[in-house]
Amino acid sequence: MVAGSLGVGSVQAQTTVLPSGKVMEVQAADGTAGAGKAAASRMTAAQGQGIAQLRRFATRTPAATGTFVQTQLAGGGRGGAARSSGSFAFARPGNFRWEIDKPDPQLIVTDGKKLYFYDEGLRQVTVREASEAIQATPAAVLFGVGDLDEAFKLSEVGQYNGVAWVEAVPRSADSGFDRIRIGMRDGLPVVMEVVDAFGQINRFEFSKLATNERIPAERFHFKVPAGVDVLE
């Protein structure tokens, strides 16, 4: 989303949360449109419901921890899917940790001042100013502290299987992605899909979400390991 792994859902029809990552442009797993149209017809308009849940989460959840599974697909959902999994934590304002455990260990962590992207396999750390790296990114939708409406145009998509969907389109033309869809249930995000300008889709499914946790400040600090290249 922020760098590398968090940069940008899935269009596979088998998910129980939403029949397709592309919502109203859905396709079945075999590439036909029929299943997608049927699934889309089961969507119900939940006006105000998804946006209200997202805003409450952004303003009333100071901290949380959880796990995620990311599925990355080629444009339009065709081609092989790449999957990764790991854990995350955030504490507003500005503290964020996103750690990929499988298949290739990577870490994105910030204390609100500097953001570190550590690729363990490459033995390389990229350092950036946190405000520049997170502003108007998919990470900002769920974990940021700014005004959502200032950075994104929010709209209701509908409700499916108890999940209320919101679409967030960045107001900045150079955001690096086309749109985000967030699925909210019981006031918590359960899935997020990010579509870039080339149609590539990343799907993040969240689980074991624990809110308002007391998270040690050390989890958001990063010490550069010995022998690692630093890029600034």
Side-chain angles (χ1 to χ4, degrees):
M1 216 186 291
V2 180
S5 66
L6 274 78
V8 273
S10 159
V11 294
Q12 295 171 296
Q14 65 266 30
T15 174
T16 59
V17 179
L18 189 72
S20 166
K22 297 190 75 177
V23 188
M24 298 309 175
E25 303 169 6
V26 288
Q27 293 180 327
D30 61 0
T32 63
K37 289 180 179 179
S41 69
R42 293 196 295 271
M43 299 274 296
T44 60
Q47 295 300 321
Q49 194 174 105
I51 292 176
Q53 289 189 57
L54 178 60
R55 285 177 175 150
R56 282 197 300 271
F57 178 79
T59 58
R60 301 181 187 179
T61 307
T65 61
T67 61
F68 68 88
V69 173
Q70 177 189 359
T71 305
Q72 183 180 58
L73 299 178
R78 292 176 288 276
R83 290 171 64 87
S84 59
S85 61
S87 61
F88 67 89
F90 71 88
R92 308 183 204 271
N95 298 293
F96 176 65
R97 182 183 183 94
W98 183 273
E99 188 165 10
I100 295 177
D101 299 321
K102 299 176 182 179
D104 302 310
Q106 293 180 337
L107 173 65
I108 297 172
V109 63
T110 177
D111 57 3
K113 299 175 182 178
K114 295 288 186 179
L115 181 140
Y116 300 88
F117 175 42
Y118 176 40
D119 189 311
E120 186 175 316
L122 295 177
R123 300 290 291 171
Q124 179 177 288
V125 176
T126 302
V127 185
R128 298 179 61 187
E129 295 295 327
S131 59
E132 296 177 1
I134 295 178
Q135 187 177 14
T137 68
V141 174
L142 295 180
F143 312 122
V145 295
D147 187 340
L148 286 175
D149 295 279
E150 184 177 327
F152 302 95
K153 180 180 179 181
L154 304 177
S155 59
E156 298 284 349
V157 175
Q159 189 178 56
Y160 184 82
N161 280 2
V163 176
W165 283 84
V166 178
E167 184 166 272
V169 177
R171 297 189 184 276
S172 172
D174 58 355
S175 63
F177 61 94
D178 187 60
R179 62 194 182 277
I180 311 167
R181 286 180 292 264
I182 306 101
M184 303 293 298
R185 181 168 54 205
D186 299 328
L188 298 174
V190 293
V191 62
M192 179 171 72
E193 296 187 338
V194 183
V195 184
D196 69 15
F198 302 100
Q200 179 171 278
I201 303 168
N202 273 256
R203 180 182 182 92
F204 302 88
E205 297 180 69
F206 304 116
S207 60
K208 299 180 181 179
L209 200 62
T211 60
N212 302 330
E213 294 284 279
R214 190 181 294 273
I215 305 172
E218 291 75 20
R219 288 204 68 184
F220 306 109
H221 294 165
F222 182 78
K223 183 177 180 180
V224 178
V228 169
D229 293 330
V230 179
L231 306 179
E232 297 192 60

